Amino acid sequence: MLLLLAWLLLLAVGPWPPAGADTTPGPAVPPAGRPLFGPGLDWAEDSAAAYQERLGLAPSLYEQRVAYPLDPESTTFLEQMVEQVAPQGAVALLSLEPSVALGDLDQADAAALAETLSRLHAEHGTTFLLRFAPEMNGTWYSWGQQPRAYVSAFRELAGVVHASAPEARLVWSPVYGAGYPYGAAYGDVDPDRTRDVTALDTDADGRLDGDDDPYGPYWPGAEAVDWVGLTLFHFGIDRGREDNALDPSSGGTPGEDERSIGFETDVAPRAGAFRARMVEQFGYDGTRRREPFYERFAEAYERPLLVETGAVWLPDAAGDPELRIKRAWWRQVLAADEEYPLLRGISWLEQRRPEAEVQGRTVDWRATRLPRLATAFAEDLTGEVTLGPVTSAPTGDQPGAAAERDGDIAPAVRPDPAAGGLVAAWWALTVMLLLALLVSRLRPGWSWPGHDAPDTTGRDERLDVLRGILLVVLVAAHLEALTATSGPVSRLMGVTTGPEAFVLLSGVVLAMGHGPLVARVGALSAAGRWWRRGAALWFTAVATTLVVLGVSYLPGARTSGVTTWAATGAGVDLYTGAASLLEYPPPWPAVRDLFLLGTGPWPLAMLGLLVVLSLAAPAVLWLLGRGLWWLALLLSWGLFTWGTVTAPDWTVGQYESAYPPLVWQVVFVHGLVLGHHRTVLARAWASPAGRAGFLASVVALATALTVAWTAPGGPALLLHLWGGDALGAGRLLSVLLVGLVAVAVLSAAWTPVRRGVARVLVPVGRAGLLVLVLHVLLLVVVDTVATGTGTTAPGAWWATVVLPTVALVLLVVLAPGLVRRTVAR
């Protein structure tokens, strides 16, 4: 009950004119032959200074994805980006990604954006290119294929920006039309969406198919558009697709019968491959002549053209070498302005991320991933593009001036609120530890009854409580991702995140049970037990995948919420080709993807990681049993370094991109070491010197974070170490210290905890695996109900308040029954 009240309190607090004359120059338009150039960085893991250092050149633009309308978090990220690019005098290319329905955007949202851009321009001299809802003709974004709503929203934004923020220019930027209308073959985030077929059916044949115009219905008009843009990637040779027409009259079921044979990847582009796209010849069947995008929109309206591009390279895949693939492509792009003089901007995707076009595998787009790549890229860029500075970077005497270009990660002129949340969380952790020490001294009778005292079932109930907390938070976080919101849970995870804690706790529990198990059955049988545990996790993941596939065929059921990962904006269909599993015999690629966990609901992606770790655990436990804990840690950190640097992608498993085993094993191994030495740690905690040392360490870290937060460049450094998707040093440190503090608090106040929240959390923690499975089905039910009632708009009160609360209540009600009916895990 206490937990539910705290959750409700958090929910209550919640997450943190016509166009006038335009006479002020906006972003610099370079002369023909010298387009602006820059990267689209993963700003959570990279920085402008780091990119400039790798490339050896200063780009003239940088791209960042920004949630729109602006909220405190997206405003902070925007400010940090500007503070980084301003010293290099680069244009800020902002891809504005709607976080609400297009029809819910209004002039107030546009005015808030324009005001922010004007302020940042005044402080830093930065100018902006605004790609509003890019790739709107695709199916992989929530704003896709809604032409009337899109055109209306674009015009409204353009009117306000043109009148109030002349330092910004609007970019209309669809994706290249081959494969249109795309569908599930390219990753449809919402196959059940009702499309505006009337507006999209440009040839008036009553269906939406490849004969319809992929661009025209989305054109907002020349008065609203300052630049035109086009997304043009080299994936490889497209081997075709089956039934990609998004039309019920064709006999297929949208989202289920649209399948892609896929691309032949890691193949260098042929000569003229980029030009083939510019003349609208690549990827079409050749039966219909299409007027090229460049002629229709750039030449016809005399608008500069911005191209977002990159070349696919799949790590560790057979095929042409990475340098050959990427250099062949970027040389064609860089030479294109000779024939297409209105090509005035090039944005190269400098990220590593999964892509639906290659069955959800992780693609490394980066042209500066390795020094030899960066050197070759810099040589080809020199003399072909406009490099920075192109805007008026403020000097050191101006207000808000950025630091000199001396390699600082991110010049800062004010304490950053996102990093401030991290600092506040660490001080709160310090206070919790102090309270635990005080309680253990004033109320010794409340303490945990012994260093290793289990309950009558052989379980450590403290760990069950922690697992229960993690499961509750996990379900709430997945509901936030399902509804595309950024609510209380996402803001509470600045100190550590659920995945690390799950992996660490798994290692601790496994090590605690290993010694007694070996004493009973022997080392070999104990190893077999852990391997069977991995097999059970694998079977659970496969079975759940098939259950979700079966549910997708029920009338009215909506499963795309768990079969498509779209929380980050880039929709990836995780069930590509899964429908063919129902064929007889099922094709081997589909079976292979199922068995290797390449197909499955995203909420269970971590099970694949736990399968791999369970198989490797006996080897680590063997080292620990012989006192070689130092060797286990040394090997673990060596693998972590190798995995971080090389980022291998060996299988089709979803966990490869979300939780790379070589990287994440370091958390699991530390959990094994902690669990194996739990008695030593308990004795250290019981001693005054041990408690004082632990407290001093936590206080010292909180103090260091506070100093860094207020120092120039410090906030960005903190967010780099603690934020993003990669497992950084800050997150590793956090999960270890937070885990120790959590156990200390539970040990000091165990009696009131056992009488209170433990009654709710222990059953949840003990039914962990079954709760994980059922919460996937719960997400399907919630998404189906929300869709049927029309309450799926991101940020809606119903989605952000009622859904998490209902999920928590269901967990609390169902967990005791689950424990009684299943074997405690």
Side-chain angles (χ1 to χ4, degrees), residues 562-584:
V562 298
T563 62
T564 303
W565 176 243
T568 60
V572 177
D573 181 12
L574 304 177
Y575 270 60
T576 300
S580 61
L581 289 169
L582 302 180
E583 299 174 2
Y584 183 80

Side-chain angles (χ1 to χ4, degrees), residues 427-685:
W427 280 113
L429 197 70
T430 304
V431 171
M432 291 176 62
L433 182 58
L434 284 170
L435 290 175
L437 292 172
L438 183 63
V439 169
S440 64
R441 184 175 182 86
L442 298 179
R443 289 282 190 267
W446 285 3
S447 298
W448 177 253
H451 297 327
D452 289 304
D455 69 355
T456 56
T457 65
R459 306 276 304 214
D460 187 330
E461 286 191 321
R462 294 172 300 176
L463 301 185
D464 289 328
V465 168
L466 291 178
R467 186 178 298 187
I469 293 174
L470 291 174
L471 285 166
V472 169
V473 173
L474 176 142
V475 173
H478 284 178
L479 279 162
E480 286 187 359
L482 181 72
T483 55
T485 61
S486 179
V489 175
S490 63
R491 301 180 186 278
L492 287 173
M493 301 176 81
V495 177
T496 187
T497 58
E500 294 99 296
F502 265 112
V503 174
L504 182 75
L505 192 57
S506 296
V508 171
V509 171
L510 195 152
M512 289 179 63
H514 185 67
L517 184 61
V518 170
R520 292 198 313 270
V521 302
L524 186 59
S525 295
R529 180 75 61 88
W530 304 132
W531 290 331
R532 287 197 299 273
R533 177 178 180 270
L537 293 174
W538 172 85
F539 177 80
T540 300
V542 171
T544 306
T545 298
L546 294 175
V547 168
V548 171
L549 177 62
V551 170
S552 68
Y553 286 91
L554 295 177
R558 176 187 171 94
T559 60
S560 60
V562 298
T563 62
T564 303
W565 176 243
T568 60
V572 177
D573 181 12
L574 304 177
Y575 270 60
T576 300
S580 61
L581 289 169
L582 302 180
E583 299 174 2
Y584 183 80
W588 167 244
V591 175
R592 178 203 61 198
D593 289 351
L594 174 67
F595 286 170
L596 293 180
L597 306 185
T599 300
W602 59 260
L604 291 186
M606 182 179 286
L607 283 186
L609 172 67
L610 295 178
V611 169
V612 175
L613 296 179
S614 296
L615 298 178
V620 181
L621 292 169
W622 184 87
L623 292 175
L624 296 180
R626 283 150 183 78
L628 299 176
W629 59 269
W630 56 271
L631 180 58
L633 291 179
L634 184 64
L635 292 173
S636 177
W637 278 99
L639 292 174
F640 173 82
T641 303
W642 180 28
T644 302
V645 173
T646 63
D649 187 19
W650 290 329
T651 75
V652 300
Q654 294 176 25
Y655 58 89
E656 280 278 359
S657 56
Y659 310 106
L662 285 180
V663 175
W664 280 74
Q665 54 76 29
V666 74
V667 181
F668 184 71
V669 171
H670 278 74
L672 292 174
V673 173
L674 290 175
H676 184 78
H677 294 92
R678 62 192 181 280
T679 303
V680 175
L681 293 173
R683 283 200 299 266
W685 172 251

Side-chain angles (χ1 to χ4, degrees), residues 171-191:
V171 184
W172 175 68
S173 187
V175 69
Y176 180 62
Y180 186 80
Y182 311 112
Y186 291 80
D188 193 346
V189 299
D190 191 2

Side-chain angles (χ1 to χ4, degrees), residues 747-772:
S747 299
W750 178 245
T751 297
V753 169
R754 179 173 56 83
R755 294 173 179 173
V757 294
R759 296 181 178 180
V760 174
L761 295 176
V762 167
V764 175
R766 291 188 175 181
L769 184 58
L770 195 52
V771 169
L772 282 175

Side-chain angles (χ1 to χ4, degrees), residues 287-301:
T287 60
R288 180 172 180 174
R289 165 69 175 158
R290 290 184 182 272
E291 184 180 359
F293 178 92
Y294 181 85
E295 296 177 10
R296 291 181 62 187
F297 302 105
E299 281 189 342
Y301 298 104

Side-chain angles (χ1 to χ4, degrees), residues 87-175:
Q88 297 182 21
V91 173
L93 171 60
L94 308 181
S95 293
L96 302 178
E97 299 191 329
S99 58
V100 301
L102 291 173
D104 292 338
L105 297 170
D106 56 29
Q107 285 197 353
D109 300 324
L113 173 65
E115 181 181 358
T116 300
L117 298 180
S118 296
R119 173 175 59 82
L120 292 174
H121 174 70
E123 292 177 356
H124 301 282
T126 302
T127 56
F128 304 90
L129 289 171
L130 308 180
R131 287 203 316 162
F132 172 71
E135 303 177 29
M136 80 303 295
N137 56 334
T139 56
W140 42 89
Y141 291 124
S142 61
W143 56 84
Q145 297 191 351
Q146 303 169 56
R148 293 174 179 171
Y150 170 81
V151 167
S152 176
F154 191 104
R155 289 174 176 171
E156 185 172 64
L157 175 63
V160 173
V161 169
H162 287 161
S164 305
E167 58 278 346
R169 291 290 184 267
L170 271 295
V171 184
W172 175 68
S173 187
V175 69

